[in-house]
Amino acid sequence: MRSWLALGVFAVVSWLAACGGSSPQTPSSPPPTPDAALATGTTLSVLSGENGQSVGGARLVVAGRTYDADASGHVTLAERVPFGSFVDVVAPGFLDRQTLIRQAGDTRFVLWPRTTTSGLSERYTTEIVYTAGTATPTPPGSSPLRRLRTGTTQVFVVLSEEIRQDSRAHLAHEEGVAMLNAALAGRVVYALAASRPASGIVFESRVDPADPLCAENDRILAFTVLNLQGEEATGGRVVFCESDATRREIVAHELAHTVGLQHSPDPRELMARFYTPASRRDFGSLEVLSMSLLLERHGGNRFPDNDRDVPASARGGVTIVCN
Ligand SMILES: [Zn+2]
């Protein structure tokens, strides 16, 4: 948005300059291309991903030059920074951030808390974001961050005929969507749909005990398949191995996988891999915070907090298995 605004202002200024001259102008002259860099004097800001507050005293290394943020978390660039330049941001209490300046809008750095008073820890982040909940879980921290496609504001959950006809399953889906929407606080809105919309991000929800994954392992309650492009989900499906699983908060659990959460290391939380009657019925504060934090990142971000090598367009998929 910022870059388009800047372009627009520049275009108006150019047009005024062109019309102000007394000699005829050539209408076909190409528009000037914007500088592929942040200009000298650009302000960068550093914020906490926990509460949006500025992080005073953060140290930034931008294209090899070191800056210390002021009490408001701001630094002013002393030189032009070409797109593609490395940025390192280090601040006490936050995971070291390693990223790039990719475009004109990359002036805001939201840091991922290392710990919070609410109980977030590096181990928790490692498990719930960077450990793929696949049938054979990956080593802790070794998986890329996977998330809904960047820029997604609406997701449709298309229910199978069987789920639509099952009032308890339908209710659990309504409740699951409501819980997820509350957790996401408007960043993304999930909605149920009876049929597949013409466009947009869609996850199908169905019961299929005959699916090979269900048939091979009777301990699997459900699984979620994400169709990925560059580690970001463009759609997928939620499959329940038994009808009863569709009538519980397991629905909300599966839908949170479509946002990007993996499994919680806390067996009491809703996102724990193993469902028990003692499991929480709603998302806890750490699960909500983790969703908020991961939506600030590109798919492909690596623990602790590095997105320099995110894949642009490689297609793939991942299946997250829940017991
Ligand atoms: Zn799960």
Side-chain angles (χ1 to χ4, degrees), residues 121-144:
S121 66
E122 286 184 51
R123 181 186 169 225
Y124 187 90
T125 295
T126 299
E127 292 274 343
I128 206 162
V129 177
Y130 297 99
T131 306
T134 41
T136 306
T138 57
S142 68
S143 174

Side-chain angles (χ1 to χ4, degrees), residues 51-310:
N51 50 28
Q53 291 178 358
S54 54
V55 178
R59 172 155 289 190
L60 293 81
V61 179
V62 185
R65 187 169 184 140
T66 302
Y67 300 84
D68 287 315
D70 64 18
S72 302
H74 293 148
V75 304
T76 303
L77 293 179
E79 61 190 5
R80 178 179 174 276
V81 175
F83 295 164
S85 297
F86 282 8
V87 180
D88 291 78
V89 188
V90 177
F94 297 92
L95 297 175
D96 295 353
R97 177 71 174 140
Q98 296 180 297
T99 185
L100 301 173
I101 300 290
R102 292 183 165 82
Q103 55 190 350
D106 288 346
T107 58
R108 183 174 163 273
F109 299 91
V110 178
L111 299 187
W112 197 300
R114 206 177 277 274
T115 60
T116 65
T117 53
S118 59
L120 189 73
S121 66
E122 286 184 51
R123 181 186 169 225
Y124 187 90
T125 295
T126 299
E127 292 274 343
I128 206 162
V129 177
Y130 297 99
T131 306
T134 41
T136 306
T138 57
S142 68
S143 174
L145 181 151
R146 294 183 171 119
R147 54 157 294 172
L148 270 179
R149 187 166 69 190
T150 297
T152 300
T153 56
Q154 171 86 64
V155 174
F156 294 101
V157 180
V158 178
L159 305 182
S160 70
E161 177 71 16
E162 178 179 350
I163 290 174
R164 272 185 288 135
Q165 299 299 330
D166 181 331
S167 60
R168 285 172 59 204
H170 196 273
L171 179 63
H173 278 74
E174 287 180 341
E175 290 174 348
V177 162
M179 284 160 56
L180 194 60
N181 285 341
L184 293 169
R187 286 164 173 262
V188 185
V189 177
Y190 278 66
L192 299 183
S195 60
R196 195 177 182 91
S199 62
I201 301 271
V202 173
F203 291 93
E204 295 173 357
S205 181
R206 65 169 186 255
V207 184
D208 190 1
D211 184 283
L213 207 49
C214 300
E216 286 167 15
N217 187 336
D218 61 6
R219 294 202 58 205
I220 295 178
L221 289 178
F223 61 91
T224 292
V225 177
L226 305 180
N227 302 329
L228 297 170
Q229 186 170 0
E231 306 297 356
E232 299 195 344
T234 56
R237 65 184 186 278
V238 174
V239 179
F240 296 92
C241 293
E242 52 186 76
S243 295
D244 192 53
T246 66
R247 304 175 186 134
R248 300 171 184 271
E249 53 282 357
I250 297 167
V251 176
H253 172 115
E254 298 306 319
L255 293 178
H257 284 320
T258 70
V259 177
L261 288 187
Q262 300 296 321
H263 285 135
S264 168
D266 183 342
R268 297 163 299 181
E269 283 199 321
L270 184 53
M271 293 313 293
R273 178 181 183 126
F274 294 92
Y275 176 78
T276 73
S279 299
R280 284 186 59 129
R281 297 283 186 271
D282 199 352
F283 297 110
S285 62
L286 298 184
E287 292 164 318
V288 172
L289 175 59
S290 298
M291 280 192 262
S292 170
L293 290 167
L294 76 85
L295 290 177
E296 291 283 348
R297 292 294 180 261
H298 294 287
N301 200 62
R302 290 283 181 172
F303 186 82
D305 200 6
N306 183 334
D307 71 357
R308 285 180 182 157
D309 294 320
V310 297

Side-chain angles (χ1 to χ4, degrees), residues 14-81:
S14 304
W15 178 79
L16 286 172
C19 293
S22 56
S23 57
Q25 300 292 314
T26 308
S28 61
S29 56
T33 50
D35 198 11
L38 297 183
T40 304
T42 299
T43 299
L44 307 184
S45 40
V46 184
L47 307 166
S48 164
E50 182 185 14
N51 50 28
Q53 291 178 358
S54 54
V55 178
R59 172 155 289 190
L60 293 81
V61 179
V62 185
R65 187 169 184 140
T66 302
Y67 300 84
D68 287 315
D70 64 18
S72 302
H74 293 148
V75 304
T76 303
L77 293 179
E79 61 190 5
R80 178 179 174 276
V81 175

